[in-house]
Amino acid sequence: MIPGDCIPVSDLLTPVFGARLRNSRLTSASGPRLALAIRNSWSLTHLDLNDNSLKDSGLLDIYQCLKDPNCRIESLKLESNDLTEGCCMELGSALAENQTVKELSLNFNPLGDSGLELLQRTMRKRSCKLHTLRLNSTNLTECSGPVLSDLLENNPTLRNIDLSSNELKDEGARLVFQALEKSDSQLEAFWLQDVSVTQESCEAFASFLRANKTLTSLHLKENRLGDEGLRRLSCGLRDSRCKLQVLRLDTTSLSDQGVKDLIQVLVGKQSISELTLPYNSITDSSIDALVHLVKTSPQLREIRLRSNKFTPGGIKRLKTLARAGLTMSVGD
């Protein structure tokens, strides 16, 4: 592969600009050349720079492009670029002036709590138009709860947010849920995988679900919710205003009781189309309830149950539920 710093500017102007620059070994020295390419192609709408090593300094010239009124970039992907809090003030300032960026991905960069605070402080000077914000694995902790609350309250256009693989814990998550409820959020997809939440934050989450009419996809994998947490969460799922379609609860410490309580809520709820429950402690005791769910939910398109504690006979029975339009994943 040719090092990114040696790629001719003319090659950067090809129609597949975004696709070609993912994992292209770009470094901080590539910044000025990238900026020149952008300025010579203002029609560019998607810029994918994932999996490079631009670092904080490599983005400085690109931020100036974002501030230019000629900029048309709608999707900006900066995942895994060794970015730190040092980039956040300039990035926030650029976003505050830019009115076209709708998708921003900063996954897998160690921004930390202080970086997020700098980003939000500068962004809020002017209402951004972000629809999607991805902050997966950015070293956030519960200390970011107030900052995330402020971000959510002041960016009403947000439709999708990914906070997965951060240490938000119950206190940070509770503040996020309260902010979403207070802001009359229009959120549609919410990723909270592996954020160290437990049953303690589920009541606040349920309150948000009762108030929300737009959320359709919820990812809670790898959190120790337990049966009690799911029972509390179900109070929100039960509300007629809740229109959830996708619910992912892999590895959430659930047993038969929690699953039965959940199914009791979901039966007859015509919105659920995908339910995932792998890596829990569900046994044959839940099969009758699962059979009832599948038979009374024609809109259900996918259900995942692998890596639980079903017997071979139970797995065989569940497999008989397979039907046209339904993907059933059972067993190891």
Side-chain angles (χ1 to χ4, degrees), residues 183-232:
S183 65
D184 192 25
S185 166
Q186 300 299 302
L187 204 61
E188 296 173 1
F190 199 5
W191 286 265
L192 283 169
Q193 176 177 334
D194 186 26
V195 294
S196 299
V197 296
T198 70
Q199 65 184 46
E200 297 304 319
S201 55
C202 286
E203 286 188 4
F205 202 174
S207 181
F208 158 63
L209 290 176
R210 283 193 293 269
N212 181 275
K213 302 176 183 178
T214 59
L215 191 70
T216 59
S217 184
L218 176 58
H219 304 248
L220 290 170
K221 297 163 60 174
E222 299 177 39
N223 290 293
R224 295 184 64 83
L225 304 180
D227 295 338
E228 177 59 23
L230 192 57
R231 185 189 67 79
R232 297 178 185 182

mmCIF file of all heavy atoms in Angstrom, residues 183-232:
data_model
loop_
_atom_site.group_PDB
_atom_site.id
_atom_site.type_symbol
_atom_site.label_atom_id
_atom_site.label_comp_id
_atom_site.label_asym_id
_atom_site.label_seq_id
_atom_site.Cartn_x
_atom_site.Cartn_y
_atom_site.Cartn_z
ATOM 1 N N SER A 183 -35.870 17.194 27.239
ATOM 2 C CA SER A 183 -35.696 17.911 25.977
ATOM 3 C C SER A 183 -36.725 17.533 24.920
ATOM 4 O O SER A 183 -36.634 17.978 23.787
ATOM 5 C CB SER A 183 -34.300 17.639 25.415
ATOM 6 O OG SER A 183 -34.160 16.269 25.082
ATOM 7 N N ASP A 184 -37.673 16.679 25.270
ATOM 8 C CA ASP A 184 -38.656 16.203 24.298
ATOM 9 C C ASP A 184 -37.923 15.614 23.097
ATOM 10 O O ASP A 184 -38.178 15.940 21.945
ATOM 11 C CB ASP A 184 -39.579 17.338 23.856
ATOM 12 C CG ASP A 184 -40.784 16.810 23.078
ATOM 13 O OD1 ASP A 184 -41.148 15.642 23.286
ATOM 14 O OD2 ASP A 184 -41.333 17.560 22.251
ATOM 15 N N SER A 185 -36.977 14.708 23.405
ATOM 16 C CA SER A 185 -36.086 14.128 22.406
ATOM 17 C C SER A 185 -36.822 13.465 21.253
ATOM 18 O O SER A 185 -37.870 12.849 21.424
ATOM 19 C CB SER A 185 -35.179 13.096 23.089
ATOM 20 O OG SER A 185 -34.529 12.286 22.144
ATOM 21 N N GLN A 186 -36.233 13.585 20.064
ATOM 22 C CA GLN A 186 -36.730 12.909 18.871
ATOM 23 C C GLN A 186 -35.807 11.746 18.498
ATOM 24 O O GLN A 186 -35.765 11.304 17.347
ATOM 25 C CB GLN A 186 -36.806 13.893 17.703
ATOM 26 C CG GLN A 186 -37.713 15.079 17.947
ATOM 27 C CD GLN A 186 -39.154 14.665 18.187
ATOM 28 O OE1 GLN A 186 -39.767 14.010 17.345
ATOM 29 N NE2 GLN A 186 -39.700 15.026 19.345
ATOM 30 N N LEU A 187 -35.081 11.223 19.488
ATOM 31 C CA LEU A 187 -34.113 10.157 19.269
ATOM 32 C C LEU A 187 -34.787 8.926 18.674
ATOM 33 O O LEU A 187 -35.866 8.520 19.106
ATOM 34 C CB LEU A 187 -33.453 9.790 20.608
ATOM 35 C CG LEU A 187 -32.063 9.145 20.572
ATOM 36 C CD1 LEU A 187 -31.054 10.074 19.931
ATOM 37 C CD2 LEU A 187 -31.625 8.770 21.975
ATOM 38 N N GLU A 188 -34.111 8.315 17.682
ATOM 39 C CA GLU A 188 -34.644 7.121 17.027
ATOM 40 C C GLU A 188 -33.828 5.867 17.335
ATOM 41 O O GLU A 188 -34.394 4.775 17.446
ATOM 42 C CB GLU A 188 -34.700 7.342 15.512
ATOM 43 C CG GLU A 188 -35.654 8.467 15.106
ATOM 44 C CD GLU A 188 -35.565 8.792 13.635
ATOM 45 O OE1 GLU A 188 -34.776 8.121 12.916
ATOM 46 O OE2 GLU A 188 -36.267 9.723 13.185
ATOM 47 N N ALA A 189 -32.508 5.995 17.458
ATOM 48 C CA ALA A 189 -31.645 4.847 17.755
ATOM 49 C C ALA A 189 -30.662 5.228 18.851
ATOM 50 O O ALA A 189 -30.023 6.287 18.795
ATOM 51 C CB ALA A 189 -30.892 4.402 16.503
ATOM 52 N N PHE A 190 -30.526 4.344 19.852
ATOM 53 C CA PHE A 190 -29.729 4.636 21.040
ATOM 54 C C PHE A 190 -28.871 3.408 21.359
ATOM 55 O O PHE A 190 -29.393 2.321 21.624
ATOM 56 C CB PHE A 190 -30.680 4.939 22.205
ATOM 57 C CG PHE A 190 -30.057 5.693 23.353
ATOM 58 C CD1 PHE A 190 -28.764 6.171 23.301
ATOM 59 C CD2 PHE A 190 -30.800 5.925 24.501
ATOM 60 C CE1 PHE A 190 -28.205 6.873 24.364
ATOM 61 C CE2 PHE A 190 -30.267 6.631 25.572
ATOM 62 C CZ PHE A 190 -28.963 7.101 25.494
ATOM 63 N N TRP A 191 -27.529 3.587 21.291
ATOM 64 C CA TRP A 191 -26.600 2.519 21.611
ATOM 65 C C TRP A 191 -25.988 2.777 22.992
ATOM 66 O O TRP A 191 -25.295 3.776 23.201
ATOM 67 C CB TRP A 191 -25.477 2.452 20.578
ATOM 68 C CG TRP A 191 -25.865 1.876 19.257
ATOM 69 C CD1 TRP A 191 -25.725 0.581 18.832
ATOM 70 C CD2 TRP A 191 -26.448 2.577 18.144
ATOM 71 N NE1 TRP A 191 -26.187 0.434 17.541
ATOM 72 C CE2 TRP A 191 -26.629 1.645 17.099
ATOM 73 C CE3 TRP A 191 -26.826 3.909 17.931
ATOM 74 C CZ2 TRP A 191 -27.177 1.988 15.871
ATOM 75 C CZ3 TRP A 191 -27.371 4.262 16.712
ATOM 76 C CH2 TRP A 191 -27.539 3.305 15.694
ATOM 77 N N LEU A 192 -26.245 1.838 23.910
ATOM 78 C CA LEU A 192 -25.699 1.917 25.267
ATOM 79 C C LEU A 192 -25.071 0.586 25.665
ATOM 80 O O LEU A 192 -25.153 0.157 26.806
ATOM 81 C CB LEU A 192 -26.810 2.279 26.263
ATOM 82 C CG LEU A 192 -27.235 3.747 26.296
ATOM 83 C CD1 LEU A 192 -28.501 3.905 27.115
ATOM 84 C CD2 LEU A 192 -26.130 4.624 26.870
ATOM 85 N N GLN A 193 -24.420 -0.045 24.721
ATOM 86 C CA GLN A 193 -23.776 -1.327 24.990
ATOM 87 C C GLN A 193 -22.559 -1.137 25.893
ATOM 88 O O GLN A 193 -21.730 -0.248 25.670
ATOM 89 C CB GLN A 193 -23.347 -1.970 23.668
ATOM 90 C CG GLN A 193 -22.588 -3.274 23.820
ATOM 91 C CD GLN A 193 -22.253 -3.896 22.476
ATOM 92 O OE1 GLN A 193 -22.933 -3.668 21.485
ATOM 93 N NE2 GLN A 193 -21.181 -4.674 22.449
ATOM 94 N N ASP A 194 -22.467 -1.960 26.933
ATOM 95 C CA ASP A 194 -21.272 -1.996 27.786
ATOM 96 C C ASP A 194 -20.939 -0.619 28.368
ATOM 97 O O ASP A 194 -19.847 -0.090 28.187
ATOM 98 C CB ASP A 194 -20.081 -2.534 26.968
ATOM 99 C CG ASP A 194 -18.827 -2.734 27.807
ATOM 100 O OD1 ASP A 194 -18.955 -2.949 29.021
ATOM 101 O OD2 ASP A 194 -17.718 -2.665 27.233
ATOM 102 N N VAL A 195 -21.893 -0.033 29.086
ATOM 103 C CA VAL A 195 -21.648 1.261 29.740
ATOM 104 C C VAL A 195 -21.757 1.149 31.262
ATOM 105 O O VAL A 195 -21.866 2.147 31.962
ATOM 106 C CB VAL A 195 -22.598 2.360 29.212
ATOM 107 C CG1 VAL A 195 -22.312 2.656 27.752
ATOM 108 C CG2 VAL A 195 -24.056 1.971 29.419
ATOM 109 N N SER A 196 -21.732 -0.088 31.763
ATOM 110 C CA SER A 196 -21.717 -0.353 33.213
ATOM 111 C C SER A 196 -22.953 0.168 33.945
ATOM 112 O O SER A 196 -22.855 0.698 35.050
ATOM 113 C CB SER A 196 -20.442 0.238 33.845
ATOM 114 O OG SER A 196 -19.287 -0.355 33.301
ATOM 115 N N VAL A 197 -24.123 0.038 33.315
ATOM 116 C CA VAL A 197 -25.355 0.391 34.012
ATOM 117 C C VAL A 197 -25.963 -0.871 34.624
ATOM 118 O O VAL A 197 -25.751 -1.988 34.144
ATOM 119 C CB VAL A 197 -26.384 1.094 33.101
ATOM 120 C CG1 VAL A 197 -25.847 2.418 32.615
ATOM 121 C CG2 VAL A 197 -26.780 0.203 31.935
ATOM 122 N N THR A 198 -26.728 -0.687 35.691
ATOM 123 C CA THR A 198 -27.387 -1.783 36.392
ATOM 124 C C THR A 198 -28.867 -1.449 36.533
ATOM 125 O O THR A 198 -29.363 -0.475 35.951
ATOM 126 C CB THR A 198 -26.768 -1.983 37.794
ATOM 127 O OG1 THR A 198 -27.137 -0.872 38.629
ATOM 128 C CG2 THR A 198 -25.252 -2.075 37.715
ATOM 129 N N GLN A 199 -29.549 -2.198 37.373
ATOM 130 C CA GLN A 199 -30.976 -1.952 37.607
ATOM 131 C C GLN A 199 -31.237 -0.577 38.188
ATOM 132 O O GLN A 199 -32.345 -0.036 38.060
ATOM 133 C CB GLN A 199 -31.531 -3.009 38.560
ATOM 134 C CG GLN A 199 -30.943 -2.948 39.960
ATOM 135 C CD GLN A 199 -31.449 -4.066 40.861
ATOM 136 O OE1 GLN A 199 -31.492 -5.219 40.461
ATOM 137 N NE2 GLN A 199 -31.839 -3.714 42.070
ATOM 138 N N GLU A 200 -30.227 0.030 38.812
ATOM 139 C CA GLU A 200 -30.430 1.303 39.503
ATOM 140 C C GLU A 200 -30.840 2.439 38.569
ATOM 141 O O GLU A 200 -31.517 3.379 38.985
ATOM 142 C CB GLU A 200 -29.151 1.694 40.256
ATOM 143 C CG GLU A 200 -28.749 0.727 41.353
ATOM 144 C CD GLU A 200 -29.860 0.511 42.368
ATOM 145 O OE1 GLU A 200 -30.539 1.497 42.737
ATOM 146 O OE2 GLU A 200 -30.076 -0.649 42.771
ATOM 147 N N SER A 201 -30.425 2.393 37.311
ATOM 148 C CA SER A 201 -30.769 3.479 36.387
ATOM 149 C C SER A 201 -31.988 3.161 35.530
ATOM 150 O O SER A 201 -32.427 3.992 34.722
ATOM 151 C CB SER A 201 -29.582 3.794 35.472
ATOM 152 O OG SER A 201 -29.151 2.637 34.793
ATOM 153 N N CYS A 202 -32.574 1.981 35.710
ATOM 154 C CA CYS A 202 -33.653 1.547 34.817
ATOM 155 C C CYS A 202 -34.966 2.305 35.021
ATOM 156 O O CYS A 202 -35.751 2.444 34.081
ATOM 157 C CB CYS A 202 -33.876 0.050 34.962
ATOM 158 S SG CYS A 202 -32.556 -0.931 34.182
ATOM 159 N N GLU A 203 -35.217 2.807 36.216
ATOM 160 C CA GLU A 203 -36.449 3.582 36.421
ATOM 161 C C GLU A 203 -36.395 4.896 35.651
ATOM 162 O O GLU A 203 -37.389 5.317 35.060
ATOM 163 C CB GLU A 203 -36.665 3.826 37.914
ATOM 164 C CG GLU A 203 -37.138 2.596 38.665
ATOM 165 C CD GLU A 203 -37.525 2.896 40.100
ATOM 166 O OE1 GLU A 203 -37.495 4.080 40.482
ATOM 167 O OE2 GLU A 203 -37.850 1.943 40.828
ATOM 168 N N ALA A 204 -35.217 5.550 35.680
ATOM 169 C CA ALA A 204 -35.067 6.789 34.915
ATOM 170 C C ALA A 204 -35.194 6.505 33.425
ATOM 171 O O ALA A 204 -35.779 7.305 32.668
ATOM 172 C CB ALA A 204 -33.717 7.441 35.224
ATOM 173 N N PHE A 205 -34.657 5.367 32.993
ATOM 174 C CA PHE A 205 -34.757 4.998 31.585
ATOM 175 C C PHE A 205 -36.215 4.727 31.214
ATOM 176 O O PHE A 205 -36.696 5.144 30.156
ATOM 177 C CB PHE A 205 -33.906 3.761 31.319
ATOM 178 C CG PHE A 205 -33.505 3.594 29.883
ATOM 179 C CD1 PHE A 205 -32.635 2.587 29.517
ATOM 180 C CD2 PHE A 205 -33.984 4.434 28.887
ATOM 181 C CE1 PHE A 205 -32.248 2.415 28.208
ATOM 182 C CE2 PHE A 205 -33.606 4.289 27.568
ATOM 183 C CZ PHE A 205 -32.740 3.263 27.224
ATOM 184 N N ALA A 206 -36.929 4.023 32.089
ATOM 185 C CA ALA A 206 -38.344 3.727 31.831
ATOM 186 C C ALA A 206 -39.161 5.014 31.721
ATOM 187 O O ALA A 206 -40.076 5.119 30.894
ATOM 188 C CB ALA A 206 -38.896 2.839 32.950
ATOM 189 N N SER A 207 -38.841 5.987 32.547
ATOM 190 C CA SER A 207 -39.546 7.269 32.497
ATOM 191 C C SER A 207 -39.346 7.938 31.150
ATOM 192 O O SER A 207 -40.280 8.512 30.570
ATOM 193 C CB SER A 207 -39.044 8.169 33.630
ATOM 194 O OG SER A 207 -39.729 9.407 33.621
ATOM 195 N N PHE A 208 -38.106 7.856 30.612
ATOM 196 C CA PHE A 208 -37.830 8.406 29.284
ATOM 197 C C PHE A 208 -38.629 7.659 28.216
ATOM 198 O O PHE A 208 -39.229 8.268 27.323
ATOM 199 C CB PHE A 208 -36.335 8.317 28.980
ATOM 200 C CG PHE A 208 -35.991 8.358 27.515
ATOM 201 C CD1 PHE A 208 -36.285 9.475 26.757
ATOM 202 C CD2 PHE A 208 -35.393 7.269 26.898
ATOM 203 C CE1 PHE A 208 -35.981 9.516 25.392
ATOM 204 C CE2 PHE A 208 -35.084 7.294 25.551
ATOM 205 C CZ PHE A 208 -35.385 8.424 24.799
ATOM 206 N N LEU A 209 -38.674 6.322 28.316
ATOM 207 C CA LEU A 209 -39.412 5.529 27.332
ATOM 208 C C LEU A 209 -40.900 5.855 27.333
ATOM 209 O O LEU A 209 -41.551 5.853 26.290
ATOM 210 C CB LEU A 209 -39.198 4.042 27.601
ATOM 211 C CG LEU A 209 -37.796 3.485 27.321
ATOM 212 C CD1 LEU A 209 -37.713 2.024 27.738
ATOM 213 C CD2 LEU A 209 -37.434 3.636 25.850
ATOM 214 N N ARG A 210 -41.434 6.145 28.510
ATOM 215 C CA ARG A 210 -42.858 6.496 28.593
ATOM 216 C C ARG A 210 -43.144 7.820 27.904
ATOM 217 O O ARG A 210 -44.247 8.032 27.382
ATOM 218 C CB ARG A 210 -43.303 6.556 30.056
ATOM 219 C CG ARG A 210 -43.525 5.200 30.704
ATOM 220 C CD ARG A 210 -44.257 5.331 32.030
ATOM 221 N NE ARG A 210 -43.445 6.008 33.032
ATOM 222 C CZ ARG A 210 -42.626 5.380 33.879
ATOM 223 N NH1 ARG A 210 -42.510 4.062 33.826
ATOM 224 N NH2 ARG A 210 -41.927 6.045 34.767
ATOM 225 N N ALA A 211 -42.161 8.707 27.922
ATOM 226 C CA ALA A 211 -42.370 10.039 27.342
ATOM 227 C C ALA A 211 -42.008 10.100 25.864
ATOM 228 O O ALA A 211 -42.454 10.997 25.150
ATOM 229 C CB ALA A 211 -41.544 11.072 28.120
ATOM 230 N N ASN A 212 -41.205 9.132 25.400
ATOM 231 C CA ASN A 212 -40.686 9.192 24.032
ATOM 232 C C ASN A 212 -41.609 8.485 23.037
ATOM 233 O O ASN A 212 -42.139 7.418 23.335
ATOM 234 C CB ASN A 212 -39.292 8.554 23.997
ATOM 235 C CG ASN A 212 -38.672 8.603 22.613
ATOM 236 O OD1 ASN A 212 -38.916 7.752 21.783
ATOM 237 N ND2 ASN A 212 -37.868 9.626 22.380
ATOM 238 N N LYS A 213 -41.778 9.099 21.864
ATOM 239 C CA LYS A 213 -42.642 8.526 20.836
ATOM 240 C C LYS A 213 -41.875 8.137 19.583
ATOM 241 O O LYS A 213 -42.474 7.661 18.611
ATOM 242 C CB LYS A 213 -43.734 9.532 20.451
ATOM 243 C CG LYS A 213 -44.606 9.990 21.602
ATOM 244 C CD LYS A 213 -45.582 11.060 21.145
ATOM 245 C CE LYS A 213 -46.405 11.588 22.306
ATOM 246 N NZ LYS A 213 -47.325 12.672 21.891
ATOM 247 N N THR A 214 -40.541 8.332 19.587
ATOM 248 C CA THR A 214 -39.776 8.171 18.354
ATOM 249 C C THR A 214 -38.734 7.071 18.397
ATOM 250 O O THR A 214 -38.288 6.609 17.348
ATOM 251 C CB THR A 214 -39.067 9.488 17.996
ATOM 252 O OG1 THR A 214 -38.183 9.855 19.074
ATOM 253 C CG2 THR A 214 -40.070 10.607 17.755
ATOM 254 N N LEU A 215 -38.297 6.623 19.585
ATOM 255 C CA LEU A 215 -37.220 5.636 19.681
ATOM 256 C C LEU A 215 -37.670 4.297 19.089
ATOM 257 O O LEU A 215 -38.670 3.727 19.503
ATOM 258 C CB LEU A 215 -36.805 5.441 21.142
ATOM 259 C CG LEU A 215 -35.521 4.630 21.354
ATOM 260 C CD1 LEU A 215 -34.307 5.426 20.894
ATOM 261 C CD2 LEU A 215 -35.358 4.241 22.826
ATOM 262 N N THR A 216 -36.889 3.799 18.128
ATOM 263 C CA THR A 216 -37.229 2.523 17.493
ATOM 264 C C THR A 216 -36.155 1.460 17.683
ATOM 265 O O THR A 216 -36.419 0.275 17.466
ATOM 266 C CB THR A 216 -37.471 2.706 15.980
ATOM 267 O OG1 THR A 216 -36.288 3.257 15.377
ATOM 268 C CG2 THR A 216 -38.646 3.632 15.725
ATOM 269 N N SER A 217 -34.943 1.844 18.081
ATOM 270 C CA SER A 217 -33.852 0.884 18.213
ATOM 271 C C SER A 217 -33.083 1.144 19.500
ATOM 272 O O SER A 217 -32.575 2.249 19.715
ATOM 273 C CB SER A 217 -32.921 1.001 16.996
ATOM 274 O OG SER A 217 -31.913 0.023 17.034
ATOM 275 N N LEU A 218 -32.986 0.118 20.371
ATOM 276 C CA LEU A 218 -32.346 0.264 21.681
ATOM 277 C C LEU A 218 -31.367 -0.889 21.897
ATOM 278 O O LEU A 218 -31.743 -2.060 21.852
ATOM 279 C CB LEU A 218 -33.410 0.271 22.780
ATOM 280 C CG LEU A 218 -32.919 0.328 24.227
ATOM 281 C CD1 LEU A 218 -32.070 1.569 24.470
ATOM 282 C CD2 LEU A 218 -34.124 0.310 25.183
ATOM 283 N N HIS A 219 -30.107 -0.537 22.154
ATOM 284 C CA HIS A 219 -29.041 -1.519 22.318
ATOM 285 C C HIS A 219 -28.491 -1.422 23.742
ATOM 286 O O HIS A 219 -27.810 -0.450 24.094
ATOM 287 C CB HIS A 219 -27.920 -1.254 21.305
ATOM 288 C CG HIS A 219 -28.391 -1.235 19.885
ATOM 289 N ND1 HIS A 219 -28.044 -2.202 18.967
ATOM 290 C CD2 HIS A 219 -29.196 -0.375 19.216
ATOM 291 C CE1 HIS A 219 -28.611 -1.941 17.805
ATOM 292 N NE2 HIS A 219 -29.317 -0.826 17.928
ATOM 293 N N LEU A 220 -28.770 -2.461 24.539
ATOM 294 C CA LEU A 220 -28.345 -2.464 25.943
ATOM 295 C C LEU A 220 -27.432 -3.656 26.256
ATOM 296 O O LEU A 220 -27.286 -4.039 27.413
ATOM 297 C CB LEU A 220 -29.580 -2.503 26.852
ATOM 298 C CG LEU A 220 -30.420 -1.230 26.874
ATOM 299 C CD1 LEU A 220 -31.740 -1.481 27.602
ATOM 300 C CD2 LEU A 220 -29.656 -0.100 27.548
ATOM 301 N N LYS A 221 -26.820 -4.220 25.259
ATOM 302 C CA LYS A 221 -25.984 -5.400 25.444
ATOM 303 C C LYS A 221 -24.854 -5.151 26.464
ATOM 304 O O LYS A 221 -24.348 -4.050 26.595
ATOM 305 C CB LYS A 221 -25.363 -5.804 24.102
ATOM 306 C CG LYS A 221 -26.373 -6.207 23.048
ATOM 307 C CD LYS A 221 -25.803 -6.201 21.643
ATOM 308 C CE LYS A 221 -24.639 -7.134 21.472
ATOM 309 N NZ LYS A 221 -24.199 -7.201 20.066
ATOM 310 N N GLU A 222 -24.501 -6.226 27.164
ATOM 311 C CA GLU A 222 -23.340 -6.226 28.056
ATOM 312 C C GLU A 222 -23.460 -5.236 29.214
ATOM 313 O O GLU A 222 -22.482 -4.572 29.584
ATOM 314 C CB GLU A 222 -22.056 -5.979 27.249
ATOM 315 C CG GLU A 222 -21.795 -7.059 26.205
ATOM 316 C CD GLU A 222 -20.583 -6.791 25.356
ATOM 317 O OE1 GLU A 222 -19.574 -6.312 25.888
ATOM 318 O OE2 GLU A 222 -20.656 -7.057 24.134
ATOM 319 N N ASN A 223 -24.643 -5.135 29.756
ATOM 320 C CA ASN A 223 -24.884 -4.391 30.992
ATOM 321 C C ASN A 223 -25.578 -5.325 31.984
ATOM 322 O O ASN A 223 -26.444 -6.103 31.594
ATOM 323 C CB ASN A 223 -25.775 -3.166 30.732
ATOM 324 C CG ASN A 223 -25.070 -2.084 29.940
ATOM 325 O OD1 ASN A 223 -24.128 -1.471 30.407
ATOM 326 N ND2 ASN A 223 -25.530 -1.857 28.714
ATOM 327 N N ARG A 224 -25.236 -5.220 33.251
ATOM 328 C CA ARG A 224 -25.799 -6.121 34.264
ATOM 329 C C ARG A 224 -27.148 -5.589 34.769
ATOM 330 O O ARG A 224 -27.288 -5.164 35.922
ATOM 331 C CB ARG A 224 -24.804 -6.303 35.411
ATOM 332 C CG ARG A 224 -23.526 -7.014 34.998
ATOM 333 C CD ARG A 224 -22.616 -7.259 36.192
ATOM 334 N NE ARG A 224 -23.235 -8.162 37.151
ATOM 335 C CZ ARG A 224 -23.225 -9.485 37.067
ATOM 336 N NH1 ARG A 224 -22.640 -10.072 36.030
ATOM 337 N NH2 ARG A 224 -23.798 -10.238 37.986
ATOM 338 N N LEU A 225 -28.127 -5.639 33.894
ATOM 339 C CA LEU A 225 -29.467 -5.168 34.258
ATOM 340 C C LEU A 225 -30.162 -6.144 35.202
ATOM 341 O O LEU A 225 -30.814 -5.729 36.158
ATOM 342 C CB LEU A 225 -30.317 -4.979 33.000
ATOM 343 C CG LEU A 225 -29.757 -4.047 31.919
ATOM 344 C CD1 LEU A 225 -30.723 -3.974 30.752
ATOM 345 C CD2 LEU A 225 -29.481 -2.659 32.479
ATOM 346 N N GLY A 226 -30.040 -7.420 34.925
ATOM 347 C CA GLY A 226 -30.700 -8.426 35.746
ATOM 348 C C GLY A 226 -32.208 -8.399 35.579
ATOM 349 O O GLY A 226 -32.781 -7.533 34.907
ATOM 350 N N ASP A 227 -32.877 -9.350 36.200
ATOM 351 C CA ASP A 227 -34.337 -9.445 36.095
ATOM 352 C C ASP A 227 -35.036 -8.215 36.661
ATOM 353 O O ASP A 227 -36.031 -7.740 36.106
ATOM 354 C CB ASP A 227 -34.830 -10.694 36.834
ATOM 355 C CG ASP A 227 -34.336 -11.980 36.180
ATOM 356 O OD1 ASP A 227 -33.983 -11.939 34.986
ATOM 357 O OD2 ASP A 227 -34.299 -13.008 36.874
ATOM 358 N N GLU A 228 -34.525 -7.702 37.771
ATOM 359 C CA GLU A 228 -35.162 -6.534 38.380
ATOM 360 C C GLU A 228 -35.027 -5.306 37.489
ATOM 361 O O GLU A 228 -35.973 -4.518 37.342
ATOM 362 C CB GLU A 228 -34.561 -6.258 39.760
ATOM 363 C CG GLU A 228 -35.093 -5.014 40.459
ATOM 364 C CD GLU A 228 -36.593 -5.041 40.687
ATOM 365 O OE1 GLU A 228 -37.193 -6.142 40.716
ATOM 366 O OE2 GLU A 228 -37.195 -3.958 40.841
ATOM 367 N N GLY A 229 -33.864 -5.138 36.880
ATOM 368 C CA GLY A 229 -33.683 -4.016 35.963
ATOM 369 C C GLY A 229 -34.631 -4.100 34.785
ATOM 370 O O GLY A 229 -35.226 -3.095 34.371
ATOM 371 N N LEU A 230 -34.781 -5.313 34.251
ATOM 372 C CA LEU A 230 -35.684 -5.485 33.113
ATOM 373 C C LEU A 230 -37.135 -5.248 33.517
ATOM 374 O O LEU A 230 -37.931 -4.712 32.744
ATOM 375 C CB LEU A 230 -35.513 -6.886 32.529
ATOM 376 C CG LEU A 230 -36.169 -7.106 31.163
ATOM 377 C CD1 LEU A 230 -35.661 -6.105 30.141
ATOM 378 C CD2 LEU A 230 -35.913 -8.527 30.684
ATOM 379 N N ARG A 231 -37.478 -5.651 34.731
ATOM 380 C CA ARG A 231 -38.850 -5.406 35.216
ATOM 381 C C ARG A 231 -39.138 -3.910 35.265
ATOM 382 O O ARG A 231 -40.200 -3.446 34.841
ATOM 383 C CB ARG A 231 -39.038 -6.013 36.597
ATOM 384 C CG ARG A 231 -40.467 -5.910 37.124
ATOM 385 C CD ARG A 231 -40.573 -6.321 38.572
ATOM 386 N NE ARG A 231 -39.866 -5.386 39.451
ATOM 387 C CZ ARG A 231 -40.345 -4.201 39.830
ATOM 388 N NH1 ARG A 231 -41.537 -3.790 39.393
ATOM 389 N NH2 ARG A 231 -39.641 -3.419 40.633
ATOM 390 N N ARG A 232 -38.164 -3.140 35.771
ATOM 391 C CA ARG A 232 -38.340 -1.683 35.835
ATOM 392 C C ARG A 232 -38.400 -1.082 34.427
ATOM 393 O O ARG A 232 -39.220 -0.197 34.154
ATOM 394 C CB ARG A 232 -37.192 -1.056 36.623
ATOM 395 C CG ARG A 232 -37.114 -1.499 38.074
ATOM 396 C CD ARG A 232 -35.917 -0.869 38.782
ATOM 397 N NE ARG A 232 -35.772 -1.395 40.141
ATOM 398 C CZ ARG A 232 -34.844 -0.999 41.007
ATOM 399 N NH1 ARG A 232 -33.965 -0.063 40.650
ATOM 400 N NH2 ARG A 232 -34.772 -1.528 42.207
#
